[in-house]
Amino acid sequence: MQIIKPVTVTDSILVSSNITENDYAVWAVGTTYAVGNRVIVLSTHKIYESLIGSNLGNDPTTDDGTKWLTLGATNRWKAFDQKINDHVSNVDSIQYVLNDPNSNVTAVSLFGLVGISANVTVTSVVEGEVYNQTISLIDNRNIDDWYTYFFEEQVQRQEAQFLNIPPYLDADVQVTVSAATGDTAELGQLVLGFLSQLGLTTYGTSISIEDFSRKEVDAFGNFIVVERAYAQLADFDVRFPTANARKIQRTLAAYRATPIVYVGSEDVSYGTTIYGFYRRFDLTLETPSYSFGAIEVEGLT
């Protein structure tokens, strides 16, 4: 059981990207906006929609919601807005280069992927390239003979984990999601940070989802279904050295209101990698050597 303690991506950390930030025109204090007009503000990297006519001189970033509606992050910054279903999209590929001079980045986790491959390359100013890994986003593990080759469905991997990156404070971390030529690549969330060990995930861990879709039946028995997002859920059973109980408690307490990546297994096919919050945790001190705990995690949508 590992966690990725995330780096908060700011303008100073985002070195470059092939995603332009030109979703709409930049808000200008001297421009009059009609109802429904949309603008972006580069300081917040968000999109705003005018709620009133003759909207002049009203700063969207300080508005109380009566003149401007905040719609969300710009396309470039959707990768860091803590919303997995709000995808960055770009034809052919998505690329970010990040550098945090104050943090050791030892892991990168990607969610909400659409494409054929994902790559992370780490380059140190002093030592050059120190890490380069590509992960295929096409899951062919069920294709093991000619019959399955022709008739088994290929599965799109939606997550990719790059763990055990060597720590360099001066390194550029380049993340690339590639699609087939002419197709659109998508990325829900990019999380990079320090990989920390909590314990050992044991069998008995369970996974599920929480569905936010609307499913109702009217008086005549007709179903009304509105499909909405869902959140991943996991109830981790963890074994840990008893002497680490207080350390684990402090670590989880520090992230009680901050989403982090929980990695139950490095094999993403188990479905135990979740970006979100823990609902609760219990650490049962059973023996002087090893003890067992339960961590219930709810993923972001």
Side-chain angles (χ1 to χ4, degrees):
M1 178 67 181
Q2 302 173 95
I3 60 172
I4 301 176
K5 300 176 179 179
V7 169
T8 301
V9 177
T10 61
D11 289 286
S12 62
I13 291 174
L14 179 55
V15 177
S16 65
S17 175
N18 68 337
I19 309 299
T20 57
E21 195 168 19
N22 59 357
D23 308 52
Y24 299 97
V26 177
W27 175 77
V29 65
T31 300
T32 301
Y33 298 97
V35 175
N37 285 170
R38 294 182 177 182
V39 298
I40 64 172
V41 176
L42 297 181
S43 62
T44 62
H45 305 294
K46 291 183 178 180
I47 301 170
Y48 303 87
E49 182 177 297
S50 178
L51 296 176
I52 62 173
S54 302
N55 195 347
L56 174 64
N58 300 303
D59 189 340
T61 65
T62 58
D63 182 65
D64 60 2
T66 58
K67 300 178 179 66
W68 291 99
L69 174 67
T70 304
L71 296 180
T74 58
N75 192 37
R76 173 184 280 192
W77 286 84
K78 285 180 180 180
F80 316 107
D81 66 354
Q82 299 179 355
K83 298 177 182 178
I84 294 175
N85 286 302
D86 194 15
H87 295 87
V88 182
S89 61
N90 197 51
V91 176
D92 293 341
S93 69
I94 296 168
Q95 186 176 96
Y96 290 94
V97 178
L98 306 111
N99 187 318
D100 184 358
N102 301 312
S103 300
N104 286 319
V105 173
T106 59
V108 173
S109 189
L110 307 178
F111 298 89
L113 293 168
V114 175
I116 58 175
S117 68
N119 172 271
V120 170
T121 301
V122 180
T123 306
S124 166
V125 174
V126 176
E127 299 190 26
E129 185 179 294
V130 296
Y131 181 90
N132 189 330
Q133 182 180 0
T134 299
I135 295 177
S136 172
L137 300 181
I138 306 302
D139 187 353
N140 291 326
R141 72 182 60 210
N142 292 328
I143 299 177
D144 53 13
D145 55 30
W146 283 111
Y147 181 86
T148 54
Y149 177 83
F150 285 106
F151 298 106
E152 184 69 32
E153 180 183 9
Q154 289 187 333
V155 179
Q156 167 77 58
R157 294 181 186 268
Q158 297 182 335
E159 302 164 1
Q161 313 301 323
F162 300 85
L163 309 178
N164 303 313
I165 297 172
Y168 285 84
L169 284 174
D170 62 341
D172 283 344
V173 179
Q174 178 179 292
V175 179
T176 306
V177 179
S178 300
T181 302
D183 288 347
T184 299
E186 295 185 10
L187 169 63
Q189 285 294 281
L190 189 167
V191 185
L192 73 164
F194 185 75
L195 188 68
S196 179
Q197 186 80 28
L198 289 186
L200 177 67
T201 307
T202 65
Y203 285 103
T205 292
S206 62
I207 61 173
S208 62
I209 67 167
E210 182 173 0
D211 185 15
F212 299 101
S213 300
R214 175 190 171 199
K215 291 169 268 188
E216 299 177 354
V217 182
D218 64 19
F220 301 96
N222 300 307
F223 276 90
I224 301 171
V225 179
V226 179
E227 184 175 333
R228 295 172 179 165
Y230 69 90
Q232 289 182 286
L233 303 177
D235 197 349
F236 294 104
D237 288 340
V238 181
R239 191 187 76 167
F240 60 92
T242 303
N244 289 349
R246 180 58 173 157
K247 175 187 174 182
I248 296 171
Q249 183 191 46
R250 286 199 304 266
T251 299
L252 292 176
Y255 292 98
R256 63 192 181 277
T258 302
I260 61 176
V261 178
Y262 295 83
V263 183
S265 171
E266 294 187 13
D267 187 342
V268 295
S269 66
Y270 284 104
T272 56
T273 301
I274 297 182
Y275 180 36
F277 303 90
Y278 68 84
R279 289 179 170 178
R280 54 178 289 276
F281 69 91
D282 290 306
L283 307 178
T284 303
L285 309 182
E286 299 190 7
T287 72
S289 299
Y290 288 95
S291 294
F292 292 86
I295 306 174
E296 186 179 338
V297 177
E298 178 178 6
L300 299 175
T301 59

